Amino acid sequence: MPFTCKNLYGLIGKPLGHSFSADFFNRKFESEGIDARYLNFEIDSVAELPRLLVEYPALSGLNVTSPYKRAVIPYLDSVDPTAKEVGAVNVIKIVRMPDGTPRMEGYNSDVPGFADSLKGMAPGCKNALILGTGGAATACRAGFDRLGIRSVLVSRTPGPERITYGDITPEIMSSHLIVVNATPLGMYPHVGEAPELPYDLLTERHLAYDLVYNPDVTEFMRRAAANGAETKNGLEMLLLQAFESWRIFKAR
C-alpha cells in the first residue's frame, strides 16, 4: 500500500480495536500541518516487525502495546536506561542509516506518563498496590519509585516480589491507598471483567486507578466507586505518554 507522506508512524500490538492512538496522532498531524500519517499495525507476532520495516520504508517510529512491550526488545539495536530498568519498551524510534538500513531505538514513555498523571493526587500516600505483573505494571512501579511511593505487585499466581489476590488482607488495603489496575481486564469489548480485588475493603480514602481508558468507566472503577473510592482512568496517562512519544520521535 503506497504512502505519499514524508514520515509514517504507527502502533503495533494485538488487539488494537480499543486504541485511540491513531486518531490522536493523525489529528495532531492535520492540525499542525505535519506531513505524516499514523497507522495501526495489528500483528499476530512481534516477529513480523522486520517485515513492516521493509514493507513501509517511510516508518519513522512505532508505539508498542500489549502483548509485545517485552517481546520486542531482542529486535532492537539499543534500549534506553528507563526501558531497560523496567524491561519493557513502548516507543521505538526508527533511524535510517546512510545506506538505508533501519536502526531501532527502544524507549519507555509509560513511566514518566504514569508518574506525571498522579501528581497532586492521593497526597500523603506512601504505599500502592499494582494489579498485574506485565510491562505496564513494571512501568507503574518505576513511576511510583519516582514519586517516592512504595508499591507491591499483585498476581493471580505466586511468584517472587509479588503477592496474590488471596494474600490481600484488610491491613494491606488500609495501608495501600492507591490501587492500580495494570491488567487488560475490563478493556473493550470485555467490559464486564474486573480483577478479583476485595472491593468491599476500599474506602473514600482510596484512589482506584485503571490504566484502561476504553470504556471511560471500567468495571473496576464502577466497583471501586460503589465503595466510596476516588477513581481515574488511563486517558490522561495515554495523552502524557503520547506527548513524550512524539518528543522521542522528533529528537535528533
Side-chain angles (χ1 to χ4, degrees):
M1 181 178 181
F3 291 96
T4 58
C5 61
K6 182 178 179 180
N7 293 297
L8 182 65
Y9 301 89
L11 174 68
I12 60 171
K14 186 175 182 178
L16 296 181
H18 67 284
S19 177
F20 295 162
S21 295
D23 185 57
F24 168 81
F25 277 105
N26 284 322
R27 287 189 178 190
K28 177 181 179 64
F29 297 155
E30 182 177 359
S31 66
E32 298 183 18
I34 298 171
D35 185 16
R37 186 173 175 185
Y38 194 103
L39 299 176
N40 283 343
F41 297 104
E42 188 167 301
I43 55 178
D44 294 321
S45 168
V46 73
E48 295 181 43
L49 178 56
R51 174 187 61 79
L52 289 180
L53 297 182
V54 174
E55 188 173 345
Y56 298 92
L59 266 176
S60 301
L62 289 167
N63 289 116
V64 185
T65 190
S66 298
Y68 303 134
K69 291 185 180 184
R70 287 177 170 168
V72 76
I73 292 176
Y75 292 86
L76 306 179
D77 297 291
S78 66
V79 178
D80 97 311
T82 299
K84 192 173 294 184
E85 174 192 354
V86 301
V89 163
N90 76 314
V91 181
I92 301 173
K93 181 176 180 178
I94 302 169
V95 179
R96 301 283 172 171
M97 307 306 288
D99 64 357
T101 302
R103 173 182 169 81
M104 293 190 288
E105 304 171 354
Y107 300 86
N108 191 299
S109 65
D110 283 337
V111 175
F114 176 73
D116 289 348
S117 74
L118 273 173
K119 289 180 178 177
M121 304 196 72
C125 177
K126 297 180 179 179
N127 303 287
L129 295 177
I130 303 172
L131 312 182
T133 56
T138 54
C140 289
R141 195 168 203 180
F144 277 128
D145 288 345
R146 290 189 176 193
L147 298 172
I149 297 174
R150 293 184 295 272
S151 59
V152 177
L153 299 178
V154 183
S155 175
R156 289 175 295 181
T157 57
E161 299 186 8
R162 71 178 71 167
I163 64 174
T164 68
Y165 289 94
D167 295 326
I168 298 176
T169 63
E171 291 74 24
I172 288 176
M173 288 298 291
S174 66
S175 61
H176 293 72
L177 297 182
I178 302 178
V179 183
V180 179
N181 176 30
T183 79
L185 290 171
M187 181 186 297
Y188 179 84
H190 306 292
V191 296
E193 299 178 353
E196 298 172 3
L197 188 73
Y199 292 91
D200 60 313
L201 297 179
L202 291 170
T203 69
E204 67 280 354
R205 298 168 60 231
H206 285 87
L207 168 64
Y209 187 160
D210 201 330
L211 300 191
V212 172
Y213 54 85
N214 186 9
D216 292 338
V217 179
T218 63
E219 181 67 11
F220 167 78
M221 294 168 61
R222 188 189 66 77
R223 295 183 189 182
N227 287 281
E230 181 180 2
T231 62
K232 180 181 181 68
N233 70 18
L235 184 58
E236 183 184 17
M237 177 183 169
L238 170 74
L239 295 175
L240 290 169
Q241 71 83 19
F243 295 149
E244 178 66 8
S245 294
W246 184 243
R247 185 194 68 78
I248 292 169
F249 290 153
K250 300 309 294 178
R252 297 303 179 194

